[in-house]
Amino acid sequence: MKIKMYRVEKVTQKEIALVSEMENEIFSFPWAYESFETLIENPCNHFYIVFDKGTPVAYFGIMIIMNECDIYNIAVRPNYQGKGIGSFIIQEIIEICRKKEVDTITLEVREFNYRAIGLYEKYGFKLVSRIKGYYSKPLEDGLLMRLSIDEEELKNFSHRNVMR
């Protein structure tokens, strides 16, 4: 499947309102606006907005420390879900990690978010453990998943020039 190209921009203070708006639209227990303000001040944190023809349709946030990456959030607006944006974002995260010589990516996902789990498994993420009661509204266990990146895996992902 060919992945459509979207424009990706790094979140700065002026885009926090867009990210916060999407967060509130997508999640039952959204992060506060102030949380984003604090997070983007840390140089280990990287948040990006995804645009489709000028419309903000998604965002994602990662934390990179040394050779490890943790995915904070991947959020796609409901009316844009199922259009390949999630796959585009996972490929973008893997490309960012490759450039920064990261060898492990982790994330937490709701145990019943089968669509997201399927997406992560498609890109090689494996279940590491279950985290009892990790999520609220509704109360749900979290699944810790990990992708170990090596040079062979990275050959499957083409280099793309994405506007930043």
Side-chain angles (χ1 to χ4, degrees):
M1 173 171 89
K2 183 170 173 57
I3 302 298
K4 179 180 178 182
M5 294 297 293
Y6 298 93
R7 190 177 87 232
V8 178
E9 292 183 7
K10 192 152 176 87
V11 174
T12 64
Q13 288 290 333
K14 69 179 186 171
E15 288 92 17
I16 292 174
L18 282 174
V19 171
S20 184
E21 177 186 316
M22 282 189 272
E23 176 82 2
N24 285 301
E25 180 183 335
I26 297 164
F27 295 107
S28 62
F29 195 64
W31 289 1
Y33 179 95
E34 294 78 18
S35 297
F36 289 106
E37 284 184 312
T38 302
L39 285 168
I40 70 167
E41 290 174 4
N42 182 331
C44 294
N45 297 325
H46 310 273
F47 281 84
Y48 300 89
I49 300 176
V50 180
F51 292 89
D52 182 19
K53 299 176 186 151
T55 301
V57 297
Y59 83 90
F60 63 96
I62 59 177
M63 175 179 59
I64 297 176
I65 298 178
M66 298 180 66
N67 64 338
E68 295 186 7
C69 172
D70 184 54
I71 299 175
Y72 282 132
N73 276 345
I74 295 177
V76 179
R77 286 195 150 138
N79 53 335
Y80 288 90
Q81 292 176 5
K83 298 182 180 193
I85 297 172
S87 289
F88 172 82
I89 289 171
I90 293 294
Q91 288 185 27
E92 185 69 13
I93 290 170
I94 292 170
E95 183 68 14
I96 290 166
C97 290
R98 185 191 66 74
K99 288 177 182 175
K100 295 187 177 288
E101 299 181 358
V102 167
D103 56 31
T104 303
I105 303 172
T106 58
L107 59 84
E108 296 83 25
V109 61
R110 286 182 177 272
E111 67 179 316
F112 297 119
N113 189 345
Y114 300 121
R115 180 184 268 182
I117 293 166
L119 173 67
Y120 303 141
E121 288 175 339
K122 172 181 161 184
Y123 285 95
F125 283 83
K126 305 284 187 227
L127 176 64
V128 174
S129 65
R130 175 179 297 272
I131 309 164
K132 288 286 187 192
Y134 185 74
Y135 292 99
S136 58
K137 293 185 180 181
L139 182 63
E140 200 171 332
D141 289 353
L143 302 179
L144 176 63
M145 299 184 79
R146 177 183 305 139
L147 173 65
S148 296
I149 302 173
D150 64 29
E151 286 306 312
E152 287 306 309
E153 287 176 297
L154 290 174
K155 288 179 184 175
N156 295 324
F157 300 97
S158 62
H159 176 72
R160 294 171 292 137
N161 290 319
V162 178
M163 295 171 50
R164 297 222 189 297

